Amino acid sequence: MPAFDEVQFPTGISYGVTGGPRRRTEIATLASGAEERNVLWADSRREYNAGYGIRSHDDLHAVLAFFEARLGQARAFRFRDWADYKSGPPLQAHAPTDQVLGTGTGAQSVFQLVKVYASGPQSWTRVVKKPVAGTVRLAVGGAEKVLGSDFTVDTTTGVVTFLPGRVPGAGAAVTAGFQFDVPVRFATDFLSVNLSQFEAGEIPDIPLIEVRI
């Protein structure tokens, strides 16, 4: 498995980055002018430029140190996308009923955290593998459960496990609310920094790309 460090990119810098999800679609235009569109990626992949979040020499130094510790592109890490880091809207507190993880069977004890993006009849389910420690809230049939007493969370995989005797009953909806990070890596092994240009307002190019884990 590719190396992954359970450390978070500086959040004060990540707040100012640019970027978002990229999808890959193959479009063929027929002789009639009609189009055929083929989805090449089932899941989107997020890309960012961290240079836009750097506002001072200290910020730049922090990113350089982070880059060196990750050995450039070699080691992936956690990144907070401030536009999309909760199970619900960013400006609302997350609730234990935000996302449906599944339905109890009376025997199933393990569930994966997910977030569903829906618009009209279409939806896409994102598997969430990097929840933030201490933020996961869980409910069964609308009744909130207690972390440690009723369930545990693996924050490195996003897997929720109900403890013995606490397994959801058959037909009970299992829901969750949480904050999460995006697993990313640097998309370059070279950071070009020019202090005079930085002081003149030029933004350094520091690309990040989501990794599939």
PDB file of all heavy atoms in Angstrom, residues 156-185:
ATOM      1  N   THR A 156      -8.629   5.768  10.294  1.00  0.00           N
ATOM      2  CA  THR A 156      -7.736   5.574   9.149  1.00  0.00           C
ATOM      3  C   THR A 156      -8.439   4.936   7.961  1.00  0.00           C
ATOM      4  O   THR A 156      -7.909   4.933   6.856  1.00  0.00           O
ATOM      5  CB  THR A 156      -6.519   4.707   9.529  1.00  0.00           C
ATOM      6  OG1 THR A 156      -6.948   3.358   9.792  1.00  0.00           O
ATOM      7  CG2 THR A 156      -5.814   5.270  10.748  1.00  0.00           C
ATOM      8  N   THR A 157      -9.648   4.396   8.203  1.00  0.00           N
ATOM      9  CA  THR A 157     -10.385   3.719   7.121  1.00  0.00           C
ATOM     10  C   THR A 157     -11.828   4.192   6.989  1.00  0.00           C
ATOM     11  O   THR A 157     -12.476   3.920   5.974  1.00  0.00           O
ATOM     12  CB  THR A 157     -10.415   2.196   7.351  1.00  0.00           C
ATOM     13  OG1 THR A 157     -11.124   1.917   8.572  1.00  0.00           O
ATOM     14  CG2 THR A 157      -9.006   1.622   7.429  1.00  0.00           C
ATOM     15  N   GLY A 158     -12.366   4.851   8.021  1.00  0.00           N
ATOM     16  CA  GLY A 158     -13.768   5.259   7.992  1.00  0.00           C
ATOM     17  C   GLY A 158     -14.731   4.127   8.303  1.00  0.00           C
ATOM     18  O   GLY A 158     -15.932   4.236   8.043  1.00  0.00           O
ATOM     19  N   VAL A 159     -14.238   3.057   8.886  1.00  0.00           N
ATOM     20  CA  VAL A 159     -15.078   1.905   9.222  1.00  0.00           C
ATOM     21  C   VAL A 159     -15.607   2.042  10.648  1.00  0.00           C
ATOM     22  O   VAL A 159     -14.840   2.294  11.581  1.00  0.00           O
ATOM     23  CB  VAL A 159     -14.297   0.585   9.078  1.00  0.00           C
ATOM     24  CG1 VAL A 159     -15.102  -0.591   9.639  1.00  0.00           C
ATOM     25  CG2 VAL A 159     -13.965   0.337   7.614  1.00  0.00           C
ATOM     26  N   VAL A 160     -16.918   1.883  10.780  1.00  0.00           N
ATOM     27  CA  VAL A 160     -17.592   1.930  12.077  1.00  0.00           C
ATOM     28  C   VAL A 160     -17.933   0.505  12.503  1.00  0.00           C
ATOM     29  O   VAL A 160     -18.474  -0.264  11.701  1.00  0.00           O
ATOM     30  CB  VAL A 160     -18.885   2.764  11.990  1.00  0.00           C
ATOM     31  CG1 VAL A 160     -19.661   2.677  13.284  1.00  0.00           C
ATOM     32  CG2 VAL A 160     -18.563   4.210  11.642  1.00  0.00           C
ATOM     33  N   THR A 161     -17.624   0.154  13.736  1.00  0.00           N
ATOM     34  CA  THR A 161     -17.903  -1.194  14.237  1.00  0.00           C
ATOM     35  C   THR A 161     -18.730  -1.108  15.513  1.00  0.00           C
ATOM     36  O   THR A 161     -18.332  -0.454  16.485  1.00  0.00           O
ATOM     37  CB  THR A 161     -16.593  -1.955  14.536  1.00  0.00           C
ATOM     38  OG1 THR A 161     -15.787  -2.004  13.352  1.00  0.00           O
ATOM     39  CG2 THR A 161     -16.894  -3.374  14.996  1.00  0.00           C
ATOM     40  N   PHE A 162     -19.890  -1.759  15.494  1.00  0.00           N
ATOM     41  CA  PHE A 162     -20.729  -1.822  16.688  1.00  0.00           C
ATOM     42  C   PHE A 162     -20.193  -2.902  17.623  1.00  0.00           C
ATOM     43  O   PHE A 162     -19.782  -3.976  17.172  1.00  0.00           O
ATOM     44  CB  PHE A 162     -22.183  -2.122  16.317  1.00  0.00           C
ATOM     45  CG  PHE A 162     -22.901  -0.937  15.729  1.00  0.00           C
ATOM     46  CD1 PHE A 162     -22.906  -0.726  14.357  1.00  0.00           C
ATOM     47  CD2 PHE A 162     -23.558  -0.027  16.542  1.00  0.00           C
ATOM     48  CE1 PHE A 162     -23.558   0.371  13.816  1.00  0.00           C
ATOM     49  CE2 PHE A 162     -24.203   1.069  16.014  1.00  0.00           C
ATOM     50  CZ  PHE A 162     -24.208   1.269  14.650  1.00  0.00           C
ATOM     51  N   LEU A 163     -20.192  -2.602  18.899  1.00  0.00           N
ATOM     52  CA  LEU A 163     -19.669  -3.536  19.891  1.00  0.00           C
ATOM     53  C   LEU A 163     -20.667  -4.674  20.132  1.00  0.00           C
ATOM     54  O   LEU A 163     -21.859  -4.540  19.830  1.00  0.00           O
ATOM     55  CB  LEU A 163     -19.390  -2.789  21.189  1.00  0.00           C
ATOM     56  CG  LEU A 163     -18.340  -1.667  21.080  1.00  0.00           C
ATOM     57  CD1 LEU A 163     -18.178  -0.957  22.411  1.00  0.00           C
ATOM     58  CD2 LEU A 163     -17.009  -2.218  20.596  1.00  0.00           C
ATOM     59  N   PRO A 164     -20.193  -5.797  20.659  1.00  0.00           N
ATOM     60  CA  PRO A 164     -21.091  -6.914  20.946  1.00  0.00           C
ATOM     61  C   PRO A 164     -22.264  -6.486  21.827  1.00  0.00           C
ATOM     62  O   PRO A 164     -22.092  -5.771  22.812  1.00  0.00           O
ATOM     63  CB  PRO A 164     -20.178  -7.909  21.680  1.00  0.00           C
ATOM     64  CG  PRO A 164     -18.812  -7.605  21.153  1.00  0.00           C
ATOM     65  CD  PRO A 164     -18.785  -6.120  20.965  1.00  0.00           C
ATOM     66  N   GLY A 165     -23.461  -6.917  21.425  1.00  0.00           N
ATOM     67  CA  GLY A 165     -24.662  -6.542  22.151  1.00  0.00           C
ATOM     68  C   GLY A 165     -25.235  -5.212  21.732  1.00  0.00           C
ATOM     69  O   GLY A 165     -26.291  -4.806  22.224  1.00  0.00           O
ATOM     70  N   ARG A 166     -24.551  -4.506  20.816  1.00  0.00           N
ATOM     71  CA  ARG A 166     -25.012  -3.201  20.353  1.00  0.00           C
ATOM     72  C   ARG A 166     -25.294  -3.198  18.840  1.00  0.00           C
ATOM     73  O   ARG A 166     -25.523  -2.143  18.253  1.00  0.00           O
ATOM     74  CB  ARG A 166     -23.946  -2.132  20.653  1.00  0.00           C
ATOM     75  CG  ARG A 166     -23.629  -1.952  22.132  1.00  0.00           C
ATOM     76  CD  ARG A 166     -24.807  -1.358  22.879  1.00  0.00           C
ATOM     77  NE  ARG A 166     -24.439  -0.928  24.217  1.00  0.00           N
ATOM     78  CZ  ARG A 166     -24.488  -1.687  25.292  1.00  0.00           C
ATOM     79  NH1 ARG A 166     -24.907  -2.953  25.186  1.00  0.00           N
ATOM     80  NH2 ARG A 166     -24.135  -1.217  26.478  1.00  0.00           N
ATOM     81  N   VAL A 167     -25.309  -4.369  18.245  1.00  0.00           N
ATOM     82  CA  VAL A 167     -25.523  -4.494  16.797  1.00  0.00           C
ATOM     83  C   VAL A 167     -26.933  -4.031  16.428  1.00  0.00           C
ATOM     84  O   VAL A 167     -27.908  -4.404  17.097  1.00  0.00           O
ATOM     85  CB  VAL A 167     -25.301  -5.955  16.342  1.00  0.00           C
ATOM     86  CG1 VAL A 167     -25.631  -6.119  14.869  1.00  0.00           C
ATOM     87  CG2 VAL A 167     -23.865  -6.381  16.622  1.00  0.00           C
ATOM     88  N   PRO A 168     -27.062  -3.206  15.383  1.00  0.00           N
ATOM     89  CA  PRO A 168     -28.395  -2.709  14.992  1.00  0.00           C
ATOM     90  C   PRO A 168     -29.362  -3.841  14.652  1.00  0.00           C
ATOM     91  O   PRO A 168     -28.986  -4.827  14.000  1.00  0.00           O
ATOM     92  CB  PRO A 168     -28.101  -1.860  13.752  1.00  0.00           C
ATOM     93  CG  PRO A 168     -26.675  -1.456  13.902  1.00  0.00           C
ATOM     94  CD  PRO A 168     -25.996  -2.622  14.556  1.00  0.00           C
ATOM     95  N   GLY A 169     -30.589  -3.692  15.097  1.00  0.00           N
ATOM     96  CA  GLY A 169     -31.608  -4.691  14.817  1.00  0.00           C
ATOM     97  C   GLY A 169     -32.045  -4.671  13.360  1.00  0.00           C
ATOM     98  O   GLY A 169     -31.806  -3.708  12.623  1.00  0.00           O
ATOM     99  N   ALA A 170     -32.692  -5.735  12.932  1.00  0.00           N
ATOM    100  CA  ALA A 170     -33.143  -5.864  11.546  1.00  0.00           C
ATOM    101  C   ALA A 170     -34.091  -4.724  11.188  1.00  0.00           C
ATOM    102  O   ALA A 170     -35.035  -4.432  11.925  1.00  0.00           O
ATOM    103  CB  ALA A 170     -33.832  -7.205  11.343  1.00  0.00           C
ATOM    104  N   GLY A 171     -33.801  -4.077  10.059  1.00  0.00           N
ATOM    105  CA  GLY A 171     -34.662  -3.005   9.567  1.00  0.00           C
ATOM    106  C   GLY A 171     -34.370  -1.630  10.124  1.00  0.00           C
ATOM    107  O   GLY A 171     -34.963  -0.650   9.673  1.00  0.00           O
ATOM    108  N   ALA A 172     -33.456  -1.526  11.086  1.00  0.00           N
ATOM    109  CA  ALA A 172     -33.145  -0.230  11.693  1.00  0.00           C
ATOM    110  C   ALA A 172     -32.166   0.550  10.814  1.00  0.00           C
ATOM    111  O   ALA A 172     -31.154   0.008  10.365  1.00  0.00           O
ATOM    112  CB  ALA A 172     -32.544  -0.422  13.082  1.00  0.00           C
ATOM    113  N   ALA A 173     -32.483   1.812  10.561  1.00  0.00           N
ATOM    114  CA  ALA A 173     -31.603   2.649   9.750  1.00  0.00           C
ATOM    115  C   ALA A 173     -30.374   3.047  10.560  1.00  0.00           C
ATOM    116  O   ALA A 173     -30.487   3.515  11.696  1.00  0.00           O
ATOM    117  CB  ALA A 173     -32.338   3.895   9.283  1.00  0.00           C
ATOM    118  N   VAL A 174     -29.204   2.868   9.945  1.00  0.00           N
ATOM    119  CA  VAL A 174     -27.940   3.253  10.575  1.00  0.00           C
ATOM    120  C   VAL A 174     -27.463   4.531   9.892  1.00  0.00           C
ATOM    121  O   VAL A 174     -27.232   4.552   8.688  1.00  0.00           O
ATOM    122  CB  VAL A 174     -26.886   2.149  10.434  1.00  0.00           C
ATOM    123  CG1 VAL A 174     -25.572   2.577  11.094  1.00  0.00           C
ATOM    124  CG2 VAL A 174     -27.388   0.851  11.048  1.00  0.00           C
ATOM    125  N   THR A 175     -27.347   5.606  10.658  1.00  0.00           N
ATOM    126  CA  THR A 175     -26.988   6.907  10.090  1.00  0.00           C
ATOM    127  C   THR A 175     -25.793   7.503  10.838  1.00  0.00           C
ATOM    128  O   THR A 175     -25.465   7.077  11.943  1.00  0.00           O
ATOM    129  CB  THR A 175     -28.174   7.886  10.156  1.00  0.00           C
ATOM    130  OG1 THR A 175     -28.584   8.030  11.524  1.00  0.00           O
ATOM    131  CG2 THR A 175     -29.346   7.376   9.325  1.00  0.00           C
ATOM    132  N   ALA A 176     -25.170   8.504  10.196  1.00  0.00           N
ATOM    133  CA  ALA A 176     -23.985   9.098  10.817  1.00  0.00           C
ATOM    134  C   ALA A 176     -23.801  10.545  10.383  1.00  0.00           C
ATOM    135  O   ALA A 176     -24.285  10.970   9.327  1.00  0.00           O
ATOM    136  CB  ALA A 176     -22.738   8.293  10.449  1.00  0.00           C
ATOM    137  N   GLY A 177     -23.100  11.287  11.217  1.00  0.00           N
ATOM    138  CA  GLY A 177     -22.661  12.641  10.907  1.00  0.00           C
ATOM    139  C   GLY A 177     -21.201  12.746  11.309  1.00  0.00           C
ATOM    140  O   GLY A 177     -20.772  12.107  12.273  1.00  0.00           O
ATOM    141  N   PHE A 178     -20.424  13.538  10.579  1.00  0.00           N
ATOM    142  CA  PHE A 178     -18.979  13.549  10.828  1.00  0.00           C
ATOM    143  C   PHE A 178     -18.305  14.695  10.075  1.00  0.00           C
ATOM    144  O   PHE A 178     -18.902  15.311   9.182  1.00  0.00           O
ATOM    145  CB  PHE A 178     -18.359  12.228  10.358  1.00  0.00           C
ATOM    146  CG  PHE A 178     -18.842  11.782   9.001  1.00  0.00           C
ATOM    147  CD1 PHE A 178     -18.262  12.258   7.832  1.00  0.00           C
ATOM    148  CD2 PHE A 178     -19.927  10.904   8.884  1.00  0.00           C
ATOM    149  CE1 PHE A 178     -18.734  11.869   6.589  1.00  0.00           C
ATOM    150  CE2 PHE A 178     -20.401  10.512   7.644  1.00  0.00           C
ATOM    151  CZ  PHE A 178     -19.809  10.996   6.487  1.00  0.00           C
ATOM    152  N   GLN A 179     -17.079  14.953  10.431  1.00  0.00           N
ATOM    153  CA  GLN A 179     -16.185  15.777   9.642  1.00  0.00           C
ATOM    154  C   GLN A 179     -15.145  14.845   9.026  1.00  0.00           C
ATOM    155  O   GLN A 179     -14.885  13.756   9.570  1.00  0.00           O
ATOM    156  CB  GLN A 179     -15.489  16.841  10.500  1.00  0.00           C
ATOM    157  CG  GLN A 179     -16.438  17.879  11.072  1.00  0.00           C
ATOM    158  CD  GLN A 179     -15.712  18.947  11.883  1.00  0.00           C
ATOM    159  OE1 GLN A 179     -14.489  19.075  11.806  1.00  0.00           O
ATOM    160  NE2 GLN A 179     -16.456  19.692  12.666  1.00  0.00           N
ATOM    161  N   PHE A 180     -14.567  15.260   7.905  1.00  0.00           N
ATOM    162  CA  PHE A 180     -13.608  14.364   7.248  1.00  0.00           C
ATOM    163  C   PHE A 180     -12.553  15.150   6.482  1.00  0.00           C
ATOM    164  O   PHE A 180     -12.736  16.320   6.144  1.00  0.00           O
ATOM    165  CB  PHE A 180     -14.330  13.395   6.313  1.00  0.00           C
ATOM    166  CG  PHE A 180     -15.051  14.054   5.163  1.00  0.00           C
ATOM    167  CD1 PHE A 180     -14.463  14.159   3.912  1.00  0.00           C
ATOM    168  CD2 PHE A 180     -16.335  14.575   5.326  1.00  0.00           C
ATOM    169  CE1 PHE A 180     -15.131  14.766   2.846  1.00  0.00           C
ATOM    170  CE2 PHE A 180     -17.013  15.177   4.269  1.00  0.00           C
ATOM    171  CZ  PHE A 180     -16.407  15.268   3.031  1.00  0.00           C
ATOM    172  N   ASP A 181     -11.447  14.481   6.216  1.00  0.00           N
ATOM    173  CA  ASP A 181     -10.366  15.030   5.411  1.00  0.00           C
ATOM    174  C   ASP A 181     -10.302  14.302   4.077  1.00  0.00           C
ATOM    175  O   ASP A 181     -10.835  13.201   3.921  1.00  0.00           O
ATOM    176  CB  ASP A 181      -9.024  14.871   6.126  1.00  0.00           C
ATOM    177  CG  ASP A 181      -8.915  15.732   7.381  1.00  0.00           C
ATOM    178  OD1 ASP A 181      -9.412  16.878   7.344  1.00  0.00           O
ATOM    179  OD2 ASP A 181      -8.328  15.269   8.371  1.00  0.00           O
ATOM    180  N   VAL A 182      -9.604  14.936   3.117  1.00  0.00           N
ATOM    181  CA  VAL A 182      -9.370  14.316   1.814  1.00  0.00           C
ATOM    182  C   VAL A 182      -7.950  13.759   1.817  1.00  0.00           C
ATOM    183  O   VAL A 182      -7.004  14.470   2.189  1.00  0.00           O
ATOM    184  CB  VAL A 182      -9.503  15.357   0.679  1.00  0.00           C
ATOM    185  CG1 VAL A 182      -9.321  14.690  -0.686  1.00  0.00           C
ATOM    186  CG2 VAL A 182     -10.847  16.052   0.741  1.00  0.00           C
ATOM    187  N   PRO A 183      -7.758  12.496   1.422  1.00  0.00           N
ATOM    188  CA  PRO A 183      -6.396  11.971   1.313  1.00  0.00           C
ATOM    189  C   PRO A 183      -5.740  12.498   0.033  1.00  0.00           C
ATOM    190  O   PRO A 183      -6.262  12.288  -1.059  1.00  0.00           O
ATOM    191  CB  PRO A 183      -6.610  10.453   1.250  1.00  0.00           C
ATOM    192  CG  PRO A 183      -7.976  10.282   0.673  1.00  0.00           C
ATOM    193  CD  PRO A 183      -8.780  11.471   1.138  1.00  0.00           C
ATOM    194  N   VAL A 184      -4.642  13.199   0.168  1.00  0.00           N
ATOM    195  CA  VAL A 184      -3.975  13.796  -0.989  1.00  0.00           C
ATOM    196  C   VAL A 184      -2.466  13.574  -0.889  1.00  0.00           C
ATOM    197  O   VAL A 184      -1.947  13.120   0.133  1.00  0.00           O
ATOM    198  CB  VAL A 184      -4.251  15.314  -1.105  1.00  0.00           C
ATOM    199  CG1 VAL A 184      -5.734  15.612  -1.145  1.00  0.00           C
ATOM    200  CG2 VAL A 184      -3.588  16.073   0.046  1.00  0.00           C
ATOM    201  N   ARG A 185      -1.776  13.940  -1.960  1.00  0.00           N
ATOM    202  CA  ARG A 185      -0.316  14.000  -1.973  1.00  0.00           C
ATOM    203  C   ARG A 185       0.095  15.226  -2.774  1.00  0.00           C
ATOM    204  O   ARG A 185      -0.727  15.819  -3.488  1.00  0.00           O
ATOM    205  CB  ARG A 185       0.289  12.746  -2.614  1.00  0.00           C
ATOM    206  CG  ARG A 185      -0.096  12.554  -4.078  1.00  0.00           C
ATOM    207  CD  ARG A 185       0.735  11.468  -4.737  1.00  0.00           C
ATOM    208  NE  ARG A 185       0.250  11.143  -6.066  1.00  0.00           N
ATOM    209  CZ  ARG A 185       0.517  11.845  -7.171  1.00  0.00           C
ATOM    210  NH1 ARG A 185       1.259  12.953  -7.102  1.00  0.00           N
ATOM    211  NH2 ARG A 185       0.043  11.461  -8.343  1.00  0.00           N
TER     212      ARG A 185
END
